Amino acid sequence: MNTTALPARTEVAIVGGGPTGLALAVTLASAGIDFVVLDRLAEGANTSRAAVVHARTLEVLDELGASQELITRGIQVTRFAVRDGARRLLTVPFDQLATAHPYTLMVPQYETESVLLDRLRALGGDVHRPYEVTSAVQDDNGVRLTLATGETLSAAYAVGADGMHSTVREAGGIAFTGSAYAESFVLADVAMDWAPGPSEVSLTFGTAGLTVVAPLPGGRYRVVATVDNAPANPETTFIQKLLDERAPGQAKVTGHTWSSRFRVHHRVADHYRAGRLLLAGDAAHVHSPAGGQGMNTGIQDGYALGRAFATGQLDGYEAQRRPIAQRVVAFTDRMTRIATTRNTMARAARNIALPLLGHTAMPKKLATELAELNYR
């Protein structure tokens, strides 16, 4: 826990010390701009949550001096397989991408946060914990943040990198337009024998729901699945039954290290700026985890906003980043609905069309979209 005393004033107050806030802080530190990062948790998250770092994000981390260390902690995967049960419908190749990183990196989110925090500390910065921001009031001269401790911090600008229930977004009166998916999502890191092996990410379609299985370092796998009524803390037997139903004969789960149930929304903030208050990451956009793009888009937000501060181009930040969020939300929503359709005719047509599309330019286009290389 960082116990350094808070200054009375800073140029940029960053509310939230996750990957988005850290990426912004590293960018500001590199540009010599004064900032303070506040996070309500006593220490960084130690569960994996997001597990995919795409090529465009690695390019951004190249710029921030944080990519090489992260790459050593992860697994490079070059294929994304789309299946219906055990049947492979389509292979999306990442090894043909026009980038220095022609793969997707599988690495737990706490490793990404750790690498970014180490980079921030190397630049002389840190995260102040635990400091919960309870209000943000702005005027023509700046923003006054009040903390749960009763302390205050004055800043020229405040950035909400504080997640879906953003205090900064609410303070700015910015609407968060969208809705929630009816299903809950199960998230679990498991030890198992998995027939497709650790060389690909598998997205499995099925009437029971969408299921993603991806390799993690240490021989584990990440399982993400839509479930109508999931338990709060899915156990090994639940995960095994789920995989038996959706990928018969493919998985033997031997244990799990962490699991959770959560609800997913698809929403985009109506604006990314209200005067001296700005938004980035989940405070600005949330969507289906299909494709693993949430943390990636947030890190890229943080970098783009940091560059906007450094170049004096804050007015262009929303125009640059909000259309990208809209595109990601629409893309992941479309993936989720196609994967989970219960319409027999639609499912049959999908399963005929996808193998045919595998012989066109479509797989490479999908890889480029997932890797977010279109968003440079």
Side-chain angles (χ1 to χ4, degrees), residues 324-337:
I324 290 171
Q326 291 176 308
R327 181 168 172 172
V328 170
V329 170
F331 175 64
T332 56
D333 182 59
R334 190 160 57 248
M335 283 180 64
T336 301
R337 296 190 187 283

Side-chain angles (χ1 to χ4, degrees), residues 179-232:
S179 60
Y181 289 101
E183 307 94 341
S184 58
F185 278 74
V186 165
L187 192 67
D189 290 351
V190 304
M192 70 175 175
D193 297 322
W194 173 243
S199 61
E200 68 178 37
V201 175
S202 297
L203 186 154
T204 301
F205 294 164
T207 55
L210 167 71
T211 308
V212 178
V213 177
L216 290 174
R220 295 171 297 138
Y221 289 88
R222 158 63 54 83
V223 178
V224 182
T226 56
V227 180
D228 287 339
N229 294 292

Side-chain angles (χ1 to χ4, degrees), residues 39 54 93 99 136 190 204 239 259 288 292 297 305 311 367:
D39 195 274
H54 284 302
T99 174
V190 304
T204 301
I239 300 163
S259 65
S288 166
T297 310
L305 182 52
T311 60

Side-chain angles (χ1 to χ4, degrees), residues 290-341:
Q293 293 174 287
M295 181 184 72
N296 289 271
T297 310
I299 289 174
Q300 293 167 45
D301 284 346
Y303 175 70
L305 182 52
R307 295 305 307 155
F309 275 114
T311 60
Q313 301 294 319
L314 280 182
D315 287 342
Y317 169 65
E318 178 178 323
Q320 177 190 2
R321 295 301 301 172
R322 189 169 182 272
I324 290 171
Q326 291 176 308
R327 181 168 172 172
V328 170
V329 170
F331 175 64
T332 56
D333 182 59
R334 190 160 57 248
M335 283 180 64
T336 301
R337 296 190 187 283
I338 289 172
T340 59
T341 180

